[in-house]
Amino acid sequence: SVNMLVVDGGNNKVLVSATNTASVTDAASALAARAFEVNGNAGEGSDNLSIFAMADGTGNYGMEVSNSGHNAQYDLLLNPVNGGSVGIGTTTASSSYTTQLHVHGSGTGASVHITDNDTGSENSAGLELITHSDLAYIWQREPADMLFGTTATERMRITAAGNVGIGEASPDKHLHIKNTATGSTGIAIENTNNGQNLDIDFYSNAGAAQGRIRYAEGAGDISLNPNVSGSDPFTVKWDGK
């Protein structure tokens, strides 16, 4: 790599030019490709910030904090003192919820893609948060479960097969609810408008409702109807008759 520093006073620029022909794949090639290097505190050792061309045919650049041999891992901090939002693909990073990471796509979608050594780094790997054509996705790309939790405790998971467990880590049905605490376990269905029916419908493989359990709020009745097109469901009245 041949580096060149140019001070362009006419355009108020400092240019760092390099001719790097070796693709950056490891510590040695990254070290050779360094075009710009900053060591702001020599008293702390040889750690520095470097910028280099990846020379992989894509026009990509790398920015990394490492040591003089480029074989140690250090943190790269953005706005570490006063805070402030970070924008990718936008000149107006959102700050509607204080400090944010704002990713903006120039087309019909954008995403944040998270992978690690276990998942691999392919497009089909890891977890992805996506917005596309007004739709939002939380996309588990691995054939594995997705977990949700509060207070550092798992509360719900969606298995790789699509079953949902609430309080259950191994749901064997499409929805499996489990409560290990003392007290009742239930499902609440509510309509805040007066006189509305509350239904649980059972559909056929044709996609039409066949059976129904209904609570008629106005009358206070509960009915069981195995044929929604019929007019004679089994009904328990408000007074239990």
Side-chain angles (χ1 to χ4, degrees):
S1 177
V2 178
N3 299 338
M4 182 174 60
L5 177 65
V6 178
V7 178
D8 184 354
N11 294 302
N12 298 317
K13 294 180 180 180
V14 176
L15 307 176
V16 179
S17 178
T19 305
N20 176 41
T21 58
S23 180
V24 175
T25 58
D26 54 21
S29 55
L31 182 63
R34 285 180 175 180
F36 185 79
E37 185 176 315
V38 177
N39 186 331
N41 188 353
E44 290 189 355
S46 61
D47 52 306
N48 51 66
L49 170 67
S50 60
I51 300 175
F52 46 86
M54 298 299 293
D56 56 0
T58 63
N60 294 333
Y61 276 75
M63 180 168 63
E64 195 162 7
V65 180
S66 188
N67 60 2
S68 59
H70 210 95
N71 52 16
Q73 184 183 65
Y74 298 113
D75 296 335
L76 174 63
L77 309 180
L78 301 178
N79 299 333
V81 178
N82 296 313
S85 295
V86 175
I88 299 176
T90 176
T91 59
T92 55
S94 174
S95 58
S96 55
Y97 295 98
T98 64
T99 301
Q100 293 182 333
L101 170 62
H102 184 170
V103 180
H104 176 76
S106 59
T108 58
S111 73
V112 176
H113 195 180
I114 304 172
T115 61
D116 60 20
N117 287 337
D118 289 336
T119 66
S121 59
E122 299 82 3
N123 289 338
S124 60
L127 172 69
E128 196 163 6
L129 307 179
I130 307 168
T131 176
H132 186 269
S133 299
D134 297 329
L135 298 177
Y137 303 79
I138 303 176
W139 221 242
Q140 162 63 296
R141 294 193 174 278
E142 300 298 314
D145 297 355
M146 179 180 292
L147 281 63
F148 303 84
T150 62
T151 321
T153 303
E154 179 185 335
R155 306 298 184 186
M156 184 181 78
R157 77 166 56 199
I158 304 174
T159 68
N163 291 343
V164 177
I166 300 176
E168 172 56 54
S170 302
D172 57 3
K173 298 294 182 182
H174 289 87
L175 176 61
H176 187 158
I177 300 175
K178 180 180 179 180
N179 183 9
T180 59
T182 301
S184 300
T185 300
I187 300 174
I189 303 176
E190 179 180 6
N191 190 320
T192 58
N193 296 308
N194 292 331
Q196 305 299 307
N197 296 325
L198 302 178
D199 294 343
I200 300 176
D201 285 353
F202 303 89
Y203 277 63
S204 69
N205 58 5
Q210 298 297 304
R212 175 175 296 145
I213 298 174
R214 166 172 291 178
Y215 173 73
E217 184 180 7
D221 301 342
I222 295 179
S223 62
L224 171 62
N225 194 340
N227 182 2
V228 295
S229 61
S231 58
D232 297 314
F234 174 78
T235 302
V236 178
K237 297 292 186 181
W238 174 260
D239 58 6
K241 297 181 181 178

